[in-house]
Amino acid sequence: MFYHVKDLQFNARVSKPDPRFARVMLEAFGGANGELKSAMQYFVQAFSCHNPYPDKYDMLMDIATEEFGHLEIVGATIQMLLGSVNGKMKDAVETTPLSCMMKGKEAKEYLIHQAYTNPQFLVVAPGSPTLTDSNGNPWCATYISANADLSVDLRSNMAGEARAKIGYENLIQLTDDPLVKDTLMFLMTREVTHYQQFEAALETIKPNFPPGAMQTSPKYSNLHFKLSKGNEACGPWNKGKSTQLGEEWINIKDPLGEVRRTDGLTEREPEGTPRTEKSMREKDEQLSAEHSNEVLSATPEKNMQWCEYCNEEEEEK
Amino acid sequence: MFYHVKDLQFNARVSKPDPRFARVMLEAFGGANGELKSAMQYFVQAFSCHNPYPDKYDMLMDIATEEFGHLEIVGATIQMLLGSVNGKMKDAVETTPLSCMMKGKEAKEYLIHQAYTNPQFLVVAPGSPTLTDSNGNPWCATYISANADLSVDLRSNMAGEARAKIGYENLIQLTDDPLVKDTLMFLMTREVTHYQQFEAALETIKPNFPPGAMQTSPKYSNLHFKLSKGNEACGPWNKGKSTQLGEEWINIKDPLGEVRRTDGLTEREPEGTPRTEKSMREKDEQLSAEHSNEVLSATPEKNMQWCEYCNEEEEEK
Amino acid sequence: MFYHVKDLQFNARVSKPDPRFARVMLEAFGGANGELKSAMQYFVQAFSCHNPYPDKYDMLMDIATEEFGHLEIVGATIQMLLGSVNGKMKDAVETTPLSCMMKGKEAKEYLIHQAYTNPQFLVVAPGSPTLTDSNGNPWCATYISANADLSVDLRSNMAGEARAKIGYENLIQLTDDPLVKDTLMFLMTREVTHYQQFEAALETIKPNFPPGAMQTSPKYSNLHFKLSKGNEACGPWNKGKSTQLGEEWINIKDPLGEVRRTDGLTEREPEGTPRTEKSMREKDEQLSAEHSNEVLSATPEKNMQWCEYCNEEEEEK
Amino acid sequence: MFYHVKDLQFNARVSKPDPRFARVMLEAFGGANGELKSAMQYFVQAFSCHNPYPDKYDMLMDIATEEFGHLEIVGATIQMLLGSVNGKMKDAVETTPLSCMMKGKEAKEYLIHQAYTNPQFLVVAPGSPTLTDSNGNPWCATYISANADLSVDLRSNMAGEARAKIGYENLIQLTDDPLVKDTLMFLMTREVTHYQQFEAALETIKPNFPPGAMQTSPKYSNLHFKLSKGNEACGPWNKGKSTQLGEEWINIKDPLGEVRRTDGLTEREPEGTPRTEKSMREKDEQLSAEHSNEVLSATPEKNMQWCEYCNEEEEEK
Amino acid sequence: MFYHVKDLQFNARVSKPDPRFARVMLEAFGGANGELKSAMQYFVQAFSCHNPYPDKYDMLMDIATEEFGHLEIVGATIQMLLGSVNGKMKDAVETTPLSCMMKGKEAKEYLIHQAYTNPQFLVVAPGSPTLTDSNGNPWCATYISANADLSVDLRSNMAGEARAKIGYENLIQLTDDPLVKDTLMFLMTREVTHYQQFEAALETIKPNFPPGAMQTSPKYSNLHFKLSKGNEACGPWNKGKSTQLGEEWINIKDPLGEVRRTDGLTEREPEGTPRTEKSMREKDEQLSAEHSNEVLSATPEKNMQWCEYCNEEEEEK
Amino acid sequence: MFYHVKDLQFNARVSKPDPRFARVMLEAFGGANGELKSAMQYFVQAFSCHNPYPDKYDMLMDIATEEFGHLEIVGATIQMLLGSVNGKMKDAVETTPLSCMMKGKEAKEYLIHQAYTNPQFLVVAPGSPTLTDSNGNPWCATYISANADLSVDLRSNMAGEARAKIGYENLIQLTDDPLVKDTLMFLMTREVTHYQQFEAALETIKPNFPPGAMQTSPKYSNLHFKLSKGNEACGPWNKGKSTQLGEEWINIKDPLGEVRRTDGLTEREPEGTPRTEKSMREKDEQLSAEHSNEVLSATPEKNMQWCEYCNEEEEEK
């Protein structure tokens, strides 16, 4: 169950209206890396953690809930940036005294011009945020990543926070309003905070690589295929040892020859790695049993109930 | 700012897993008339009410917040209906003792068969709700209606609640689990409650018809064009007086002749209505001034701040 | 079967080209509240009415058909607003005499500038309407609402007409062309006309609340949960009697305490309402039988044929 | 302006309900190659023809109007294929006598099972067509092709009709109902009819190749790059003369060497073609002037009106 | 397997940055008729040709592979047109010397202004192409046409190439940069080349009309329904003989009367065509057997393998 | 420029057709975590690296090119899993000897039943992969993440590879065909290989945290807000030091009180961190200059050319 309090988590303020920047800020409201995306991603991920991993459930819901609050901050800022658009559009008659107060037709023209960058600020929901990105694309659930496996989901969250962070970094450069900059700096900072929280959570899960339970085949694990010709660059991604499994990189400089010689790689043998098909299978079995047990032992077979209600009220404040 | 408490608003329970019904219930999670749609619709509508109509803001945020809680109830129910899918998919090895505990390969086949109706329950996010409708379409912000005008938004909300209500009515017929039926009955009831709340709010706005500020032209207001030939039905929609403006319905039985005789209706005169172009314009001016004033007088021209922070804490519990 | 006549229902005219406004008007062509949405919504809803409710079928098809004509009016207006864009883009050579007639490069620059607000007016379908909204989002069937239940569909139609009306109200304020304003006023007026027609049709269905056949539970029907903290507003939506069922509003000021005390509301008893679980079930049974009978008695079990062809031709003109 | 008559163009009949095939037939209703796609494509294309090419306008609107009628035929067939689903879902009470008439719970189970392949037939719009394809994807305007150039649009229409034709060919194989097969055969035939009509219309436009006004560069026009290695196939697409321009195909067997030798092709000279850069430019100028003139001379500069209303009524029947 | 070489197929160059044109060029990158659409369309179509039609497979993969290279050319051009946007956005501090080098705030304002036409060039992926069209719509697989039948697919490809061609024709008119014009001319030319290649391939398939295997019904094949009233135009599409089947066009001037007289056309007899229902069925059987045999004889029933690996390496360069 | 060779990178084989698993495998073809997503993501990201970071460009293009090859492997597998569907659908006549060879109507029924789980395998592109996910959603560019900043993009790639890996892990459990399992194991392994390559590349960029150039505010960086009530969990994400910045976690247990006391956090002072606003600004300036310089110095101001063509051919093999 959710509660709402009318105070914002951060004191969102705006020096003066700026409909043009309002359009750009939509990216943080209904955009692919915006706050709704973060909030919904963690919220959806939380369901599969509820029983087996209550500490992760707690963390995910904490941060999801904070992101809903950030969505509110962004929406409030956009609403303020749009200034009097809503009020003026409610004056449906062109030649009223109000329109004169606006300093006549020029003022109206200016208003229209400003907002024309996103006509929906005038025609669809005058002077109010719409749940779209800065180009008017409606928010879409394909933005969220949730795979019901924490070693995958937490990595997606880290990447998502990185993407949200750079989004705010870009936004900060596009406004001169110091009050808006303050709010953006707060929001940008929080993304980095959450990044570190997800990273810390991932580190409590061991082993967490490769993600999931299944080991990879030692036959193909440390091969690098040179498929992009021209000046070939060398780096730790195709020379030395791989970052997590510590296997020696093997460069396949002639991929076509290699696949023809090995019947499409099927006859290749592991090389440069201590791992074998047997060690791989043993680990598969061990991790499968462990992971599956963790979840199954926390999943009742029938008569399931999501929460127990205790009549104590001390937690409620 | 939002808070989350771990107790659900309603005691969501499930007698036994039913992945097939879980798929159908996605309609209420990420579907076009589902809970996320309601929650986001009221949340987005609230921004333009914040300053000028704080009582409506309060109502919209109250109900939006309740709908987020309903989304949680639906998600929890789907998670429970999917039973042990997540746990079993974590057992990545086919022939382990665990799999035997499941009564062998048949059990696995059965599980797969059940869930194949939505393969994403197995492949994308095993055993966990996805933010889609029952056919797998990702949730999309085009589902929400928000036009920054309460006389329009509240009518959309009433229609939306009606659509959500019939959705639950349909769902109730498709499950035999009495515990799930209880939850669905609770959710269905709440949609009807909210319908009445939005209706009551609309009645406090006078006049609220036509929606917005502009009056309609008396020249075309009470015409009914017979464009669909065959047996013609009569009803209060083309005979007698119109419901809100009380104008006499005039049937245009030969639309083509009529538009040719009247230069495309431009030379038609009002008929069957006391309204005139003059009375229309006067009302336009009056309502424009009123509506615009309400909003503008509540919108600061600069140095805007969304909320004032008071250091009193009595409201907080 | 449909027919088309080349005369428009309204004499659509344009004083001079205005590509910028053409972009904005796309909202009424391929937008979420545009004419195609209305036309397709009523058309799709009509199918389930064809047999059991031929009078409603007639009304829905009449209005759907009118809306297709409105779509044509809007498209024609956009085509005229785009003026010579199509013709000029067909001049694929930059330095021809034609281009000089346009007063040289400045004229071309101006043209480009005007239309750049929607590049697709130049690159995809030069000088012609595209089936998108003003931000270029392609029209999508998620815009339409059709639930195969008239007490729901007619309410959606009323809401949709309200949204379409405010759209035209907003558009009227964004053009200075009196001829275009005339057309928009005609279209706006018709939305309000249709609103009243759908309302009248809904009133012929009794009872129509709650929509559908199922009654709601008296246990949860009249509760208002205070989930949004801060200054609490009172209104007829949480005080006094509910609009349709006439139940007394009961405010749950401490939702968390309440759900804990009542095992997640399941142990709550009805309060402030004369309705009981028994009276609810009786009404369910009565309405189920009635509604179902209406439809089933009009649905042949086999050898179905959509229409009977009579060789009389008097209806045809 | 459109008219609707209640008679269908073809006598759509159904032997007995078949919800499973109803789902598949959605492909022709709201699918990417369905009837709505065809109808809207021709309708949108017609706008840019209205003034300069009234005969093509007439043809496009004729066929568009027929396709709206086909959409109605498909929808009616789906509605009949869904049989009593709507009526039975209106019986919201499980244990009524009606349900017994259905031969008890098994009948209901069977019904649910049939329709579970598309849950939206039960939950969203019970027993009625939805504007989606057979997988539930909502219809989307990206399906339509309209580029405001007849030599392009007519080719798209031919391709579209070919795609629609094969769709019906596939559908015919998936039903055993001879009445439904009759309807599908009618619809399939009409697609092929329209194909030929569009082809005939294209042939009246000369020259129509390359589409549009601009000629292509003789430097790159007849080169075939061998980029896909392995057994190389020869055919009239890389050997002999090209179909329309009659240029000799030149095979570039070593694309990388070629682009390096020619500074990325920029230093290549025309070969195997009589066309030159000069002849190309001359034709550009001639066609630009012609095409542009055709359209501009039919486009008033101001005071535009879409149609003239004549008070004669002989055409109306 | 694909290879990439760092050299572009055409020497893409840009005289100076032009972020505004970069936005428009997105149409060719991630737009409905852009290069990714072509590449993916041919790539997907190729799968069903692999076994039965290896020559067509070769052609489709050749052209698909070239289109991937064109996508790269377009992306490279957009990247260059965006000039220093990426570099400048990386300067996250407003008042650095770098910013002075840009000639102060005015330069920044100008940059912002240029790019505001597509804010995502600044906020989402500063200074880099996004996989969207010019209005910001993300690329979508609904753009591609693939029906697993060459007589349909090749026609779709011809239409698609025509649409891509006109897109480049339009783009060429919107830039003054001669280097960019060169690249666009190259790309435009190639679309016309491919058009002719697909046409040549279609001509090797006989018969190819109607597309697919099924013949159309002679009863409805040559009827033209006059459904669009007003001045009726005559042309080879409703007079004379049809283009491919050579049947005489029959005009149904009173469609409603006709369908009523013929029980919804079902009682109509073939007219103006030598084809009969019997000849139609015979051809159906013949072509069904042929087409089906072609594919089935090339499809192994089990133990399928996509390619044979030969250890010869001569083809590899 | 791309090349294609007909040999697959891995020897994709299928024991016998399995249309049901073909549907599920679509997730890896056109799904949100599928191979096209990976290929296009790295391809799009590469553009902004081309000049300033040629080694990363090389790596991204190498892996993108490999992923295109994986897309081909997945498509080939789906094509083989669909077996003879294409060939049989080409037999448009029901009662031919061919159909008897299939062992009569039952065989056809079985085929239809199998494929009905995705009707588009029969109706749209019989027996061939479609560019959709397993629920039929068309592939969409919103799946890809590209932000023109390597410290963000590489993290997104790591998360994406993790998601792709778990997808294959899930798929492997849903088939019993050992040949298909081999292919899936190869593809799964490669995702983990790429994960490590991206991780290695990220480690060569220093500092890479926070991503981008801007430092975060020390005022809000290490706060954890307890917004989700109930049993509170402790972990390294809200206790101890943060993972990357090494700041002490500070728990805000009463968020509402805190924001009220600090005027919406604006009056809060940094705590538990050595970082100050001054140190933050200094680092901002240093990194801004560095990052911006790297890119700008590699970006010509005008006369840009994407690649230099050298007439040496040694690299080409």
Side-chain angles (χ1 to χ4, degrees), chain A residues 1-7 23 88-94 105 108-109 112-113 116-120 122-126 132 135-138 305 309-316, chain C residues 20-21 23-24 27 33 113 117 133-137 166-167 169-176 181 225-233 254-257 259-265:
Chain A
M1 183 162 43
F2 287 89
Y3 277 79
H4 177 253
V5 290
K6 295 202 174 62
D7 306 72
R23 178 192 175 188
K88 283 173 184 164
M89 285 298 288
K90 291 223 179 296
D91 180 6
V93 186
E94 201 175 23
K105 196 173 162 187
K108 189 183 163 193
E109 268 300 302
I112 291 174
H113 180 76
Y116 252 111
T117 53
N118 181 0
Q120 297 192 328
L122 290 180
V123 185
V124 173
T132 67
N135 270 334
N137 291 302
Q305 180 167 342
Y309 297 93
C310 57
N311 212 336
E312 302 149 280
E313 298 189 42
E314 75 276 8
E315 280 176 334
E316 184 193 353
Chain C
R20 211 173 56 161
F21 189 67
R23 178 192 176 188
V24 185
E27 210 61 45
N33 303 320
H113 180 77
T117 53
D133 69 11
S134 64
N135 270 334
N137 292 301
I166 200 86
E169 179 167 330
N170 292 334
L171 282 173
I172 286 170
Q173 299 178 63
L174 299 173
T175 179
D176 292 318
K181 272 182 193 287
F225 292 84
K226 292 300 301 175
L227 294 163
S228 177
K229 294 177 181 180
N231 305 311
E232 304 190 13
D254 170 16
L256 182 52
V259 302
R260 288 185 171 173
R261 270 188 300 274
T262 58
D263 196 33
L265 296 180

Side-chain angles (χ1 to χ4, degrees), chain D residues 38-192:
Chain D
S38 305
M40 290 310 300
Q41 180 159 313
Y42 312 148
F43 175 78
V44 168
Q45 290 175 350
F47 286 104
S48 65
C49 298
H50 182 266
N51 282 11
Y53 312 113
D55 56 338
K56 304 303 186 311
Y57 176 80
D58 192 56
M59 180 195 64
L60 287 167
M61 286 305 293
D62 249 23
I63 303 184
T65 306
E66 183 175 348
E67 303 286 23
F68 278 121
H70 292 180
L71 184 68
E72 193 185 10
I73 290 172
V74 174
T77 305
I78 294 171
Q79 180 75 31
M80 293 188 285
L81 285 166
L82 288 169
S84 57
V85 171
N86 184 269
K88 283 171 184 165
M89 284 300 287
K90 292 224 178 296
D91 179 7
V93 186
E94 200 174 24
T95 53
T96 58
L98 263 177
S99 158
C100 294
M101 275 171 51
M102 289 166 62
K103 299 185 193 72
K105 197 172 161 185
E106 290 70 24
K108 190 182 160 194
E109 268 300 302
Y110 179 74
L111 173 67
I112 292 175
H113 180 76
Q114 285 296 314
Y116 252 111
T117 54
N118 181 1
Q120 297 192 330
F121 278 154
L122 290 180
V123 185
V124 174
S128 207
T130 51
L131 205 52
T132 67
D133 68 11
S134 66
N135 270 334
N137 291 301
W139 192 88
C140 180
T142 55
Y143 298 157
I144 76 173
S145 300
N147 293 81
D149 184 287
L150 273 170
S151 67
V152 171
D153 283 352
L154 292 170
R155 282 182 170 94
S156 285
N157 297 356
M158 289 161 68
E161 295 288 354
R163 281 152 59 68
K165 191 269 178 181
I166 200 85
Y168 283 118
E169 179 168 331
N170 293 334
L171 283 173
I172 286 169
Q173 299 178 65
L174 299 173
T175 179
D176 292 319
D177 185 331
L179 297 176
V180 174
K181 270 182 194 287
D182 275 0
T183 303
L184 295 171
M185 172 56 79
F186 166 73
L187 294 168
M188 186 185 86
T189 297
R190 297 304 295 164
E191 310 296 6
V192 177

Side-chain angles (χ1 to χ4, degrees), chain C residues 40-61:
Chain C
M40 291 309 300
Q41 179 159 313
Y42 312 148
F43 175 79
V44 169
Q45 290 174 350
F47 287 104
S48 64
C49 299
H50 182 267
N51 282 13
Y53 312 114
D55 57 338
K56 304 304 186 310
Y57 177 78
D58 192 56
M59 181 195 65
L60 286 166
M61 286 306 291

Side-chain angles (χ1 to χ4, degrees), chain E residues 115-290:
Chain E
Y116 253 111
T117 54
N118 181 0
Q120 297 192 329
F121 279 153
L122 291 181
V123 186
V124 173
S128 208
T130 51
L131 204 53
T132 68
D133 69 10
S134 65
N135 270 334
N137 291 302
W139 191 88
C140 181
T142 55
Y143 299 157
I144 76 173
S145 301
N147 293 82
D149 184 287
L150 272 170
S151 67
V152 171
D153 283 353
L154 292 170
R155 284 182 169 94
S156 285
N157 296 357
M158 289 162 68
E161 295 288 355
R163 281 152 59 69
K165 191 270 177 182
I166 200 85
Y168 283 119
E169 178 168 330
N170 292 334
L171 282 173
I172 286 170
Q173 299 179 63
L174 299 173
T175 178
D176 291 319
D177 186 330
L179 297 176
V180 174
K181 271 182 195 287
D182 275 0
T183 304
L184 295 171
M185 171 57 78
F186 167 73
L187 294 168
M188 185 185 87
T189 297
R190 297 304 295 165
E191 310 297 5
V192 176
T193 304
H194 298 158
Y195 181 104
Q196 295 179 92
Q197 296 186 285
F198 293 127
E199 189 171 45
L202 181 61
E203 281 166 15
T204 67
I205 304 170
K206 282 291 164 51
N208 67 38
F209 193 86
M214 269 194 186
Q215 302 308 300
T216 57
S217 167
K219 288 161 70 175
Y220 324 119
S221 176
N222 53 344
L223 309 183
H224 178 244
F225 292 85
K226 292 300 300 175
L227 294 163
S228 178
K229 296 176 179 181
N231 305 310
E232 304 190 13
C234 258
W237 52 85
N238 56 13
K239 209 173 124 180
K241 284 190 188 307
S242 72
T243 53
Q244 300 251 0
L245 300 175
E247 298 169 318
E248 196 73 37
W249 286 116
I250 292 173
N251 257 282
I252 309 291
K253 300 210 171 184
D254 171 14
L256 182 53
E258 182 73 13
V259 302
R260 288 186 172 172
R261 272 188 299 275
T262 58
D263 197 33
L265 297 179
T266 53
E267 293 169 13
R268 235 189 160 275
E269 287 305 313
E271 194 184 348
T273 173
R275 296 196 301 133
T276 63
E277 304 239 323
K278 182 160 172 295
S279 73
M280 171 183 88
R281 269 191 304 273
E282 285 166 0
K283 194 139 191 202
D284 278 357
E285 279 168 30
Q286 175 211 335
L287 288 176
S288 284
E290 279 176 29

